[in-house]
Amino acid sequence: QSSVTVYGRLNLTAERQKTDAGSVTNLTNNSSRIGFKGTEDLGGGLKAFFLIEHGFSPDTGAAASTFWGRESNVGLEGAFGKVRLGNMGPTNAYFTTADYISMHNHDTGTSSDAFYAYPGNAKNMIAYTSPSLSGLVIDAQFGLKEASATKNTVVLTGNYDAGPLHLGGTYLTGPGEAKEFGLRGLYELGAITVGAYYIHNEADVASVTVKRDIYRVSGMYALGASEFHVNVGAAGKAKALGIAADGSSATQYTLGYNYNLSKRTKLYGYYTKVNDGNLGAYGGDFSSIAAGIRHNF
Amino acid sequence: QSSVTVYGRLNLTAERQKTDAGSVTNLTNNSSRIGFKGTEDLGGGLKAFFLIEHGFSPDTGAAASTFWGRESNVGLEGAFGKVRLGNMGPTNAYFTTADYISMHNHDTGTSSDAFYAYPGNAKNMIAYTSPSLSGLVIDAQFGLKEASATKNTVVLTGNYDAGPLHLGGTYLTGPGEAKEFGLRGLYELGAITVGAYYIHNEADVASVTVKRDIYRVSGMYALGASEFHVNVGAAGKAKALGIAADGSSATQYTLGYNYNLSKRTKLYGYYTKVNDGNLGAYGGDFSSIAAGIRHNF
Amino acid sequence: QSSVTVYGRLNLTAERQKTDAGSVTNLTNNSSRIGFKGTEDLGGGLKAFFLIEHGFSPDTGAAASTFWGRESNVGLEGAFGKVRLGNMGPTNAYFTTADYISMHNHDTGTSSDAFYAYPGNAKNMIAYTSPSLSGLVIDAQFGLKEASATKNTVVLTGNYDAGPLHLGGTYLTGPGEAKEFGLRGLYELGAITVGAYYIHNEADVASVTVKRDIYRVSGMYALGASEFHVNVGAAGKAKALGIAADGSSATQYTLGYNYNLSKRTKLYGYYTKVNDGNLGAYGGDFSSIAAGIRHNF
């Protein structure tokens, strides 16, 4: 009778974290979630579908502040592509770049991309995804400003897949003067996968436009049930009024190891380190050594 | 092993809304929800059952302020009827009148009944529903005042079904001097359905009893997968201390069109307009033109 | 595809409650809940599993303040036992003593153990459960203090089952000077079950260690679908700085009757009374006469 699928992920790490203020041992949530989704066949190649997804912290049992903030939308799919209404969670610009590249742990937790900045609004969205056009999928998202924001959000992305090669490009313009564009490439070479992105970001800080370039490269080597990961990112200097701020750049690197007990369950560990600039744009230096379990359901 | 059914509805419209303050384009939630329910056969015609239902806004992902506020109850059903304990969500007086008549979109969102007033309390309830007595079903709900309210809530309703004819009557007395009674009729004439209700409402405002009569008529014409709807309501003048307040009456009309892609999924649009009186008892004039999708699961 | 089990319990009573301040008729929640759990077979005797459990009040529809506060964890199980990470809800010291003995209504609601005190922290836990060693199961729980607590929590329990005999012992040391140890026995003698526990508790109140002993005995007589219950508890005098405080002791007794409509569903009633000491350590005298329904799903 009911065609609802319950799915999700619990992902916890025990971590030794170090900041400028000292060290602490934490149990840390890595974007755990539970969701409900379903599809209805309407005939003639047309489908209706919905998806709602809730984020929570299994270490404490706390729900995310916006309960269905990860995603909540409904739409139609057919030969024309896919139309969705609702809250998309992160924009497709994020999925096309930061999320795509950070393979070692779904870009979650303390080893997630410390520099990716999201200037837009994925709530109150009308979104269109094209069918695959010889490997190219175009995605257009339109976020209504409604009464609270000053400007609508527009997100355009293209994702191109040709065998081992995966390319993506993004353009985003959001509330205020926020703007972002990005390019991403990923290549699968047998047991080795390498990827990289470049993002240019502009945000409005107290009526001044602050510009920044972000770079990240990542690599994975798979050997049986094991995966060896490396992930390195850099945030260039923040530029405002034509001046680049000394001490505002930062770097991050992560070394990770995953042992896949199955497709759904892995044990893993990593070491991540953020070297922040003197200005502390990213909250100061941070490092963590972590071991944990991820279980999909 | 588990006999739980997951069910729900996502219902979103893109709307151009106009108030006295100006116009705005919104993605609007129309009482989206997800629920869990189950039944256990106890033998001898006896069943136990439960139902919990959660409301949320897929446009933003926000949960309703009372998480299981739409409904959360448990009970027994047998030849004697049905007994339930818990939170009933709206009282059966609402389901018998306002909800029953506003057919075009489940009495949800901006085209919902702007004048229906609920003076009672559906939490902490003990409720009894009779079996069908030659088409008549009696429902009695008793809401405990507990420590916070001044008076228990009593809701009595009768619903009578005889082929194309559907009649309902309600009586409600709640906290303070709140009182309500209503009558509703609905008739199915082939492709045409027409319905109407009359409600008399009394509420306690700063120790003064304010009385008001509310009227609503609605009609639907079904043609294949299409439904054409009209819905017109009027709130009479508010009367206090024997005096009817000029400028306190209001009218609302809605024109709607539904295209049923299936029993579960429709695309639809409507125009609704509230003409409020000078006193602004209903928040001032309001209109909205809307297009959306409703998907049940 | 999905291997998730939805389970839970709705448990409501209509109660006449009496405190020093007067009497009130309430619909009362008895730890109602809904949970999601699943298991994945990893081969070689190894399993991954998760469980998240949410508490709510069906009388009002309100969610617990920590949404998944009842339990949220993930782990692995094998010949070595079970390892879990996350929020355990109550510690295993509670399940081994107070929860184990109060059989008449799952130690929930107004007839739950009024004196059991939990000094620890079950969040941010790493837990190990041994396999059964000739009937003995050892459980060790380690709760990280993280940045907010002053001390890690350590919980050690042993549960021994030998036919009709069930023994348990607990040791807990938590934040501040909190400490607890307990012993529990339960014996099944045909239709009769009798149980008892003794707990010694130490808590830190404004830098002074307050010690207290708690005792509880319970008995059940089963006759067909009926169960007759008695449950008596006593809190000894609170002792601080070597002095036992007069008027700080209290007693509680409960008489209960359950009628099992099935394994999942019961109708029941009870009378419970707390005789608090003059110091009102447990909020003053309290009694309740209750009738209700519990439905597991």
Side-chain angles (χ1 to χ4, degrees), chain A residues 6 10 12 26-27 54 58-61 67 262 264-265 295 297, chain C residues 2 4 40 50 66 68 72-73 85-87 123-125 144 146:
Chain A
V6 185
L10 269 75
L12 285 173
N26 273 345
L27 203 61
H54 159 65
D59 46 337
T60 62
F67 198 85
S262 73
R264 291 167 48 190
T265 304
H295 174 63
F297 60 91
Chain C
S2 168
V4 178
E40 181 193 9
F50 80 97
T66 300
W68 302 104
S72 57
N73 49 67
L85 299 181
N87 166 33
K123 298 182 193 290
N124 303 302
M125 264 202 168
L144 292 167
E146 299 202 342

PDB file of all heavy atoms in Angstrom, chain A residues 6 10 12 26-27 54 58-61 67 262 264-265 295 297, chain C residues 2 4 40 50 66 68 72-73 85-87 123-125 144 146:
ATOM      1  N   VAL A   6      12.289   4.363   3.564  1.00  0.00           N
ATOM      2  CA  VAL A   6      13.006   5.021   4.658  1.00  0.00           C
ATOM      3  C   VAL A   6      14.490   4.758   4.439  1.00  0.00           C
ATOM      4  O   VAL A   6      14.887   3.613   4.251  1.00  0.00           O
ATOM      5  CB  VAL A   6      12.574   4.460   6.025  1.00  0.00           C
ATOM      6  CG1 VAL A   6      13.229   5.244   7.147  1.00  0.00           C
ATOM      7  CG2 VAL A   6      11.065   4.459   6.168  1.00  0.00           C
ATOM      8  N   LEU A  10      23.986   6.773   9.550  1.00  0.00           N
ATOM      9  CA  LEU A  10      24.591   7.179  10.817  1.00  0.00           C
ATOM     10  C   LEU A  10      26.094   7.164  10.622  1.00  0.00           C
ATOM     11  O   LEU A  10      26.656   6.187  10.107  1.00  0.00           O
ATOM     12  CB  LEU A  10      24.176   6.273  11.980  1.00  0.00           C
ATOM     13  CG  LEU A  10      22.906   6.752  12.727  1.00  0.00           C
ATOM     14  CD1 LEU A  10      21.682   6.456  11.897  1.00  0.00           C
ATOM     15  CD2 LEU A  10      22.803   6.168  14.100  1.00  0.00           C
ATOM     16  N   LEU A  12      29.526   8.383  12.755  1.00  0.00           N
ATOM     17  CA  LEU A  12      30.121   8.929  13.972  1.00  0.00           C
ATOM     18  C   LEU A  12      31.614   8.649  14.014  1.00  0.00           C
ATOM     19  O   LEU A  12      32.062   7.577  13.631  1.00  0.00           O
ATOM     20  CB  LEU A  12      29.470   8.322  15.223  1.00  0.00           C
ATOM     21  CG  LEU A  12      28.084   8.804  15.611  1.00  0.00           C
ATOM     22  CD1 LEU A  12      27.546   7.967  16.766  1.00  0.00           C
ATOM     23  CD2 LEU A  12      28.107  10.281  16.014  1.00  0.00           C
ATOM     24  N   ASN A  26      36.278  14.149  21.455  1.00  0.00           N
ATOM     25  CA  ASN A  26      34.855  14.298  21.136  1.00  0.00           C
ATOM     26  C   ASN A  26      34.327  13.080  20.393  1.00  0.00           C
ATOM     27  O   ASN A  26      35.055  12.463  19.628  1.00  0.00           O
ATOM     28  CB  ASN A  26      34.658  15.503  20.198  1.00  0.00           C
ATOM     29  CG  ASN A  26      34.504  16.800  20.938  1.00  0.00           C
ATOM     30  OD1 ASN A  26      34.270  16.809  22.139  1.00  0.00           O
ATOM     31  ND2 ASN A  26      34.655  17.903  20.230  1.00  0.00           N
ATOM     32  N   LEU A  27      33.053  12.799  20.595  1.00  0.00           N
ATOM     33  CA  LEU A  27      32.325  11.961  19.653  1.00  0.00           C
ATOM     34  C   LEU A  27      31.664  12.946  18.695  1.00  0.00           C
ATOM     35  O   LEU A  27      30.956  13.868  19.130  1.00  0.00           O
ATOM     36  CB  LEU A  27      31.276  11.109  20.389  1.00  0.00           C
ATOM     37  CG  LEU A  27      30.833   9.839  19.684  1.00  0.00           C
ATOM     38  CD1 LEU A  27      32.008   8.886  19.455  1.00  0.00           C
ATOM     39  CD2 LEU A  27      29.759   9.122  20.485  1.00  0.00           C
ATOM     40  N   HIS A  54      16.046  14.619   7.034  1.00  0.00           N
ATOM     41  CA  HIS A  54      16.255  15.223   8.349  1.00  0.00           C
ATOM     42  C   HIS A  54      17.668  14.939   8.826  1.00  0.00           C
ATOM     43  O   HIS A  54      18.132  13.805   8.780  1.00  0.00           O
ATOM     44  CB  HIS A  54      15.229  14.618   9.308  1.00  0.00           C
ATOM     45  CG  HIS A  54      15.581  14.737  10.754  1.00  0.00           C
ATOM     46  ND1 HIS A  54      15.672  15.940  11.381  1.00  0.00           N
ATOM     47  CD2 HIS A  54      15.870  13.794  11.693  1.00  0.00           C
ATOM     48  CE1 HIS A  54      15.997  15.742  12.657  1.00  0.00           C
ATOM     49  NE2 HIS A  54      16.124  14.452  12.866  1.00  0.00           N
ATOM     50  N   PRO A  58      23.707  11.781  16.205  1.00  0.00           N
ATOM     51  CA  PRO A  58      23.534  10.573  17.030  1.00  0.00           C
ATOM     52  C   PRO A  58      24.365  10.596  18.305  1.00  0.00           C
ATOM     53  O   PRO A  58      24.077   9.843  19.237  1.00  0.00           O
ATOM     54  CB  PRO A  58      24.005   9.433  16.121  1.00  0.00           C
ATOM     55  CG  PRO A  58      24.113   9.997  14.767  1.00  0.00           C
ATOM     56  CD  PRO A  58      24.332  11.473  14.920  1.00  0.00           C
ATOM     57  N   ASP A  59      25.387  11.442  18.367  1.00  0.00           N
ATOM     58  CA  ASP A  59      26.207  11.490  19.578  1.00  0.00           C
ATOM     59  C   ASP A  59      25.414  12.033  20.764  1.00  0.00           C
ATOM     60  O   ASP A  59      25.605  11.627  21.904  1.00  0.00           O
ATOM     61  CB  ASP A  59      27.487  12.303  19.359  1.00  0.00           C
ATOM     62  CG  ASP A  59      27.235  13.619  18.640  1.00  0.00           C
ATOM     63  OD1 ASP A  59      26.208  13.727  17.937  1.00  0.00           O
ATOM     64  OD2 ASP A  59      28.055  14.526  18.771  1.00  0.00           O
ATOM     65  N   THR A  60      24.480  12.950  20.483  1.00  0.00           N
ATOM     66  CA  THR A  60      23.674  13.536  21.565  1.00  0.00           C
ATOM     67  C   THR A  60      22.181  13.288  21.380  1.00  0.00           C
ATOM     68  O   THR A  60      21.403  13.473  22.310  1.00  0.00           O
ATOM     69  CB  THR A  60      23.857  15.066  21.617  1.00  0.00           C
ATOM     70  OG1 THR A  60      23.398  15.625  20.376  1.00  0.00           O
ATOM     71  CG2 THR A  60      25.306  15.437  21.810  1.00  0.00           C
ATOM     72  N   GLY A  61      21.750  12.914  20.191  1.00  0.00           N
ATOM     73  CA  GLY A  61      20.333  12.750  19.908  1.00  0.00           C
ATOM     74  C   GLY A  61      19.653  14.024  19.433  1.00  0.00           C
ATOM     75  O   GLY A  61      18.431  14.031  19.208  1.00  0.00           O
ATOM     76  N   PHE A  67      14.230  21.133  10.920  1.00  0.00           N
ATOM     77  CA  PHE A  67      14.082  19.678  10.996  1.00  0.00           C
ATOM     78  C   PHE A  67      14.309  18.986   9.656  1.00  0.00           C
ATOM     79  O   PHE A  67      15.063  18.036   9.548  1.00  0.00           O
ATOM     80  CB  PHE A  67      12.716  19.311  11.565  1.00  0.00           C
ATOM     81  CG  PHE A  67      12.658  17.900  12.074  1.00  0.00           C
ATOM     82  CD1 PHE A  67      13.077  17.603  13.350  1.00  0.00           C
ATOM     83  CD2 PHE A  67      12.238  16.861  11.253  1.00  0.00           C
ATOM     84  CE1 PHE A  67      13.063  16.293  13.820  1.00  0.00           C
ATOM     85  CE2 PHE A  67      12.228  15.553  11.713  1.00  0.00           C
ATOM     86  CZ  PHE A  67      12.641  15.275  13.000  1.00  0.00           C
ATOM     87  N   SER A 262      31.175  -3.382   3.728  1.00  0.00           N
ATOM     88  CA  SER A 262      30.171  -3.674   2.692  1.00  0.00           C
ATOM     89  C   SER A 262      29.980  -2.379   1.919  1.00  0.00           C
ATOM     90  O   SER A 262      30.659  -1.389   2.181  1.00  0.00           O
ATOM     91  CB  SER A 262      28.852  -4.115   3.327  1.00  0.00           C
ATOM     92  OG  SER A 262      28.199  -2.994   3.924  1.00  0.00           O
ATOM     93  N   ARG A 264      27.493  -0.569   2.239  1.00  0.00           N
ATOM     94  CA  ARG A 264      26.776   0.337   3.124  1.00  0.00           C
ATOM     95  C   ARG A 264      27.587   0.758   4.345  1.00  0.00           C
ATOM     96  O   ARG A 264      27.349   1.817   4.917  1.00  0.00           O
ATOM     97  CB  ARG A 264      25.468  -0.330   3.585  1.00  0.00           C
ATOM     98  CG  ARG A 264      24.446  -0.501   2.475  1.00  0.00           C
ATOM     99  CD  ARG A 264      23.302  -1.428   2.883  1.00  0.00           C
ATOM    100  NE  ARG A 264      22.756  -1.092   4.190  1.00  0.00           N
ATOM    101  CZ  ARG A 264      21.897  -1.849   4.869  1.00  0.00           C
ATOM    102  NH1 ARG A 264      21.481  -2.994   4.360  1.00  0.00           N
ATOM    103  NH2 ARG A 264      21.451  -1.484   6.042  1.00  0.00           N
ATOM    104  N   THR A 265      28.505  -0.102   4.767  1.00  0.00           N
ATOM    105  CA  THR A 265      29.150   0.116   6.069  1.00  0.00           C
ATOM    106  C   THR A 265      30.663   0.169   5.921  1.00  0.00           C
ATOM    107  O   THR A 265      31.259  -0.696   5.295  1.00  0.00           O
ATOM    108  CB  THR A 265      28.755  -1.016   7.037  1.00  0.00           C
ATOM    109  OG1 THR A 265      27.331  -1.065   7.119  1.00  0.00           O
ATOM    110  CG2 THR A 265      29.323  -0.781   8.419  1.00  0.00           C
ATOM    111  N   HIS A 295      27.372   3.947   8.595  1.00  0.00           N
ATOM    112  CA  HIS A 295      26.435   2.893   8.208  1.00  0.00           C
ATOM    113  C   HIS A 295      25.276   3.520   7.444  1.00  0.00           C
ATOM    114  O   HIS A 295      24.531   4.328   7.978  1.00  0.00           O
ATOM    115  CB  HIS A 295      25.929   2.184   9.476  1.00  0.00           C
ATOM    116  CG  HIS A 295      24.860   1.176   9.224  1.00  0.00           C
ATOM    117  ND1 HIS A 295      25.058   0.045   8.453  1.00  0.00           N
ATOM    118  CD2 HIS A 295      23.562   1.122   9.620  1.00  0.00           C
ATOM    119  CE1 HIS A 295      23.928  -0.651   8.408  1.00  0.00           C
ATOM    120  NE2 HIS A 295      23.009  -0.025   9.103  1.00  0.00           N
ATOM    121  N   PHE A 297      21.630   3.106   5.433  1.00  0.00           N
ATOM    122  CA  PHE A 297      20.466   2.211   5.463  1.00  0.00           C
ATOM    123  C   PHE A 297      19.391   2.735   4.526  1.00  0.00           C
ATOM    124  O   PHE A 297      19.544   3.821   3.971  1.00  0.00           O
ATOM    125  CB  PHE A 297      19.939   2.044   6.892  1.00  0.00           C
ATOM    126  CG  PHE A 297      19.498   3.305   7.567  1.00  0.00           C
ATOM    127  CD1 PHE A 297      18.181   3.760   7.483  1.00  0.00           C
ATOM    128  CD2 PHE A 297      20.402   4.066   8.303  1.00  0.00           C
ATOM    129  CE1 PHE A 297      17.772   4.921   8.124  1.00  0.00           C
ATOM    130  CE2 PHE A 297      19.992   5.234   8.930  1.00  0.00           C
ATOM    131  CZ  PHE A 297      18.688   5.667   8.841  1.00  0.00           C
TER     132      PHE A 297
ATOM    133  N   SER C   2      14.860  -1.292   1.341  1.00  0.00           N
ATOM    134  CA  SER C   2      15.109  -0.721   2.648  1.00  0.00           C
ATOM    135  C   SER C   2      14.873  -1.779   3.712  1.00  0.00           C
ATOM    136  O   SER C   2      13.908  -2.534   3.662  1.00  0.00           O
ATOM    137  CB  SER C   2      14.176   0.462   2.870  1.00  0.00           C
ATOM    138  OG  SER C   2      14.214   0.850   4.210  1.00  0.00           O
ATOM    139  N   VAL C   4      14.657  -1.078   7.032  1.00  0.00           N
ATOM    140  CA  VAL C   4      14.396  -0.341   8.253  1.00  0.00           C
ATOM    141  C   VAL C   4      13.101  -0.812   8.903  1.00  0.00           C
ATOM    142  O   VAL C   4      12.095  -0.983   8.227  1.00  0.00           O
ATOM    143  CB  VAL C   4      14.305   1.167   7.950  1.00  0.00           C
ATOM    144  CG1 VAL C   4      13.994   1.955   9.204  1.00  0.00           C
ATOM    145  CG2 VAL C   4      15.596   1.660   7.322  1.00  0.00           C
ATOM    146  N   GLU C  40      22.404  -4.945   9.264  1.00  0.00           N
ATOM    147  CA  GLU C  40      22.979  -5.401   8.001  1.00  0.00           C
ATOM    148  C   GLU C  40      23.921  -6.559   8.270  1.00  0.00           C
ATOM    149  O   GLU C  40      24.838  -6.442   9.100  1.00  0.00           O
ATOM    150  CB  GLU C  40      23.770  -4.256   7.337  1.00  0.00           C
ATOM    151  CG  GLU C  40      24.385  -4.661   6.007  1.00  0.00           C
ATOM    152  CD  GLU C  40      25.413  -3.663   5.494  1.00  0.00           C
ATOM    153  OE1 GLU C  40      25.777  -2.744   6.256  1.00  0.00           O
ATOM    154  OE2 GLU C  40      25.863  -3.817   4.353  1.00  0.00           O
ATOM    155  N   PHE C  50      21.893  -0.070  13.551  1.00  0.00           N
ATOM    156  CA  PHE C  50      21.661   1.276  14.076  1.00  0.00           C
ATOM    157  C   PHE C  50      20.298   1.282  14.743  1.00  0.00           C
ATOM    158  O   PHE C  50      19.448   0.420  14.489  1.00  0.00           O
ATOM    159  CB  PHE C  50      21.707   2.330  12.959  1.00  0.00           C
ATOM    160  CG  PHE C  50      20.430   2.406  12.179  1.00  0.00           C
ATOM    161  CD1 PHE C  50      19.458   3.369  12.476  1.00  0.00           C
ATOM    162  CD2 PHE C  50      20.170   1.505  11.161  1.00  0.00           C
ATOM    163  CE1 PHE C  50      18.265   3.418  11.776  1.00  0.00           C
ATOM    164  CE2 PHE C  50      18.979   1.558  10.451  1.00  0.00           C
ATOM    165  CZ  PHE C  50      18.023   2.510  10.754  1.00  0.00           C
ATOM    166  N   THR C  66      14.952  16.840  23.470  1.00  0.00           N
ATOM    167  CA  THR C  66      15.996  16.274  22.610  1.00  0.00           C
ATOM    168  C   THR C  66      15.334  15.224  21.738  1.00  0.00           C
ATOM    169  O   THR C  66      14.900  14.180  22.231  1.00  0.00           O
ATOM    170  CB  THR C  66      17.136  15.646  23.434  1.00  0.00           C
ATOM    171  OG1 THR C  66      17.723  16.659  24.247  1.00  0.00           O
ATOM    172  CG2 THR C  66      18.202  15.051  22.530  1.00  0.00           C
ATOM    173  N   TRP C  68      15.934  12.880  19.411  1.00  0.00           N
ATOM    174  CA  TRP C  68      16.322  11.464  19.442  1.00  0.00           C
ATOM    175  C   TRP C  68      16.985  11.150  20.782  1.00  0.00           C
ATOM    176  O   TRP C  68      17.922  10.370  20.857  1.00  0.00           O
ATOM    177  CB  TRP C  68      17.261  11.151  18.268  1.00  0.00           C
ATOM    178  CG  TRP C  68      16.666  11.464  16.942  1.00  0.00           C
ATOM    179  CD1 TRP C  68      16.949  12.536  16.147  1.00  0.00           C
ATOM    180  CD2 TRP C  68      15.648  10.726  16.247  1.00  0.00           C
ATOM    181  NE1 TRP C  68      16.182  12.497  15.003  1.00  0.00           N
ATOM    182  CE2 TRP C  68      15.378  11.403  15.037  1.00  0.00           C
ATOM    183  CE3 TRP C  68      14.943   9.542  16.534  1.00  0.00           C
ATOM    184  CZ2 TRP C  68      14.422  10.946  14.115  1.00  0.00           C
ATOM    185  CZ3 TRP C  68      14.000   9.093  15.615  1.00  0.00           C
ATOM    186  CH2 TRP C  68      13.746   9.798  14.425  1.00  0.00           C
ATOM    187  N   SER C  72      20.158   6.942  20.201  1.00  0.00           N
ATOM    188  CA  SER C  72      20.603   7.116  18.814  1.00  0.00           C
ATOM    189  C   SER C  72      22.027   6.608  18.734  1.00  0.00           C
ATOM    190  O   SER C  72      22.956   7.266  19.178  1.00  0.00           O
ATOM    191  CB  SER C  72      20.517   8.590  18.385  1.00  0.00           C
ATOM    192  OG  SER C  72      21.264   9.429  19.224  1.00  0.00           O
ATOM    193  N   ASN C  73      22.195   5.419  18.176  1.00  0.00           N
ATOM    194  CA  ASN C  73      23.544   4.867  18.118  1.00  0.00           C
ATOM    195  C   ASN C  73      23.714   3.920  16.947  1.00  0.00           C
ATOM    196  O   ASN C  73      22.753   3.503  16.307  1.00  0.00           O
ATOM    197  CB  ASN C  73      23.909   4.195  19.456  1.00  0.00           C
ATOM    198  CG  ASN C  73      22.830   3.252  19.946  1.00  0.00           C
ATOM    199  OD1 ASN C  73      22.580   2.223  19.323  1.00  0.00           O
ATOM    200  ND2 ASN C  73      22.170   3.604  21.044  1.00  0.00           N
ATOM    201  N   LEU C  85      28.404   3.264  19.303  1.00  0.00           N
ATOM    202  CA  LEU C  85      28.778   4.662  19.484  1.00  0.00           C
ATOM    203  C   LEU C  85      27.510   5.507  19.457  1.00  0.00           C
ATOM    204  O   LEU C  85      26.616   5.243  18.668  1.00  0.00           O
ATOM    205  CB  LEU C  85      29.671   5.150  18.332  1.00  0.00           C
ATOM    206  CG  LEU C  85      31.011   4.487  18.096  1.00  0.00           C
ATOM    207  CD1 LEU C  85      31.715   5.160  16.911  1.00  0.00           C
ATOM    208  CD2 LEU C  85      31.884   4.586  19.334  1.00  0.00           C
ATOM    209  N   GLY C  86      27.447   6.532  20.326  1.00  0.00           N
ATOM    210  CA  GLY C  86      26.330   7.472  20.227  1.00  0.00           C
ATOM    211  C   GLY C  86      25.701   7.787  21.563  1.00  0.00           C
ATOM    212  O   GLY C  86      26.353   7.773  22.614  1.00  0.00           O
ATOM    213  N   ASN C  87      24.415   8.098  21.489  1.00  0.00           N
ATOM    214  CA  ASN C  87      23.624   8.417  22.662  1.00  0.00           C
ATOM    215  C   ASN C  87      22.849   7.181  23.084  1.00  0.00           C
ATOM    216  O   ASN C  87      22.059   6.651  22.310  1.00  0.00           O
ATOM    217  CB  ASN C  87      22.653   9.558  22.310  1.00  0.00           C
ATOM    218  CG  ASN C  87      21.572   9.740  23.341  1.00  0.00           C
ATOM    219  OD1 ASN C  87      21.791   9.526  24.524  1.00  0.00           O
ATOM    220  ND2 ASN C  87      20.379  10.117  22.883  1.00  0.00           N
ATOM    221  N   LYS C 123      25.119  10.484  26.865  1.00  0.00           N
ATOM    222  CA  LYS C 123      25.423  11.002  25.524  1.00  0.00           C
ATOM    223  C   LYS C 123      26.905  10.816  25.235  1.00  0.00           C
ATOM    224  O   LYS C 123      27.697  10.559  26.124  1.00  0.00           O
ATOM    225  CB  LYS C 123      25.056  12.484  25.448  1.00  0.00           C
ATOM    226  CG  LYS C 123      23.571  12.753  25.662  1.00  0.00           C
ATOM    227  CD  LYS C 123      23.267  14.231  25.532  1.00  0.00           C
ATOM    228  CE  LYS C 123      21.878  14.568  26.033  1.00  0.00           C
ATOM    229  NZ  LYS C 123      20.791  14.060  25.191  1.00  0.00           N
ATOM    230  N   ASN C 124      27.270  10.939  23.979  1.00  0.00           N
ATOM    231  CA  ASN C 124      28.683  10.867  23.562  1.00  0.00           C
ATOM    232  C   ASN C 124      29.369   9.633  24.134  1.00  0.00           C
ATOM    233  O   ASN C 124      30.445   9.700  24.702  1.00  0.00           O
ATOM    234  CB  ASN C 124      29.433  12.129  24.024  1.00  0.00           C
ATOM    235  CG  ASN C 124      28.795  13.386  23.484  1.00  0.00           C
ATOM    236  OD1 ASN C 124      28.670  13.544  22.287  1.00  0.00           O
ATOM    237  ND2 ASN C 124      28.350  14.262  24.377  1.00  0.00           N
ATOM    238  N   MET C 125      28.706   8.493  23.957  1.00  0.00           N
ATOM    239  CA  MET C 125      29.187   7.272  24.601  1.00  0.00           C
ATOM    240  C   MET C 125      29.801   6.283  23.618  1.00  0.00           C
ATOM    241  O   MET C 125      29.379   6.176  22.471  1.00  0.00           O
ATOM    242  CB  MET C 125      28.015   6.576  25.286  1.00  0.00           C
ATOM    243  CG  MET C 125      27.897   6.905  26.753  1.00  0.00           C
ATOM    244  SD  MET C 125      26.962   5.646  27.634  1.00  0.00           S
ATOM    245  CE  MET C 125      27.316   6.145  29.314  1.00  0.00           C
ATOM    246  N   LEU C 144      32.028  10.319  27.049  1.00  0.00           N
ATOM    247  CA  LEU C 144      33.052  11.373  26.969  1.00  0.00           C
ATOM    248  C   LEU C 144      32.545  12.657  27.600  1.00  0.00           C
ATOM    249  O   LEU C 144      31.415  13.079  27.366  1.00  0.00           O
ATOM    250  CB  LEU C 144      33.402  11.634  25.508  1.00  0.00           C
ATOM    251  CG  LEU C 144      34.138  10.505  24.793  1.00  0.00           C
ATOM    252  CD1 LEU C 144      34.154  10.748  23.284  1.00  0.00           C
ATOM    253  CD2 LEU C 144      35.560  10.385  25.332  1.00  0.00           C
ATOM    254  N   GLU C 146      33.713  15.533  26.865  1.00  0.00           N
ATOM    255  CA  GLU C 146      33.873  16.577  25.843  1.00  0.00           C
ATOM    256  C   GLU C 146      34.239  17.898  26.512  1.00  0.00           C
ATOM    257  O   GLU C 146      34.939  17.912  27.536  1.00  0.00           O
ATOM    258  CB  GLU C 146      32.618  16.671  24.970  1.00  0.00           C
ATOM    259  CG  GLU C 146      32.354  15.356  24.221  1.00  0.00           C
ATOM    260  CD  GLU C 146      31.492  15.495  22.988  1.00  0.00           C
ATOM    261  OE1 GLU C 146      30.804  16.498  22.829  1.00  0.00           O
ATOM    262  OE2 GLU C 146      31.535  14.557  22.145  1.00  0.00           O
TER     263      GLU C 146
END
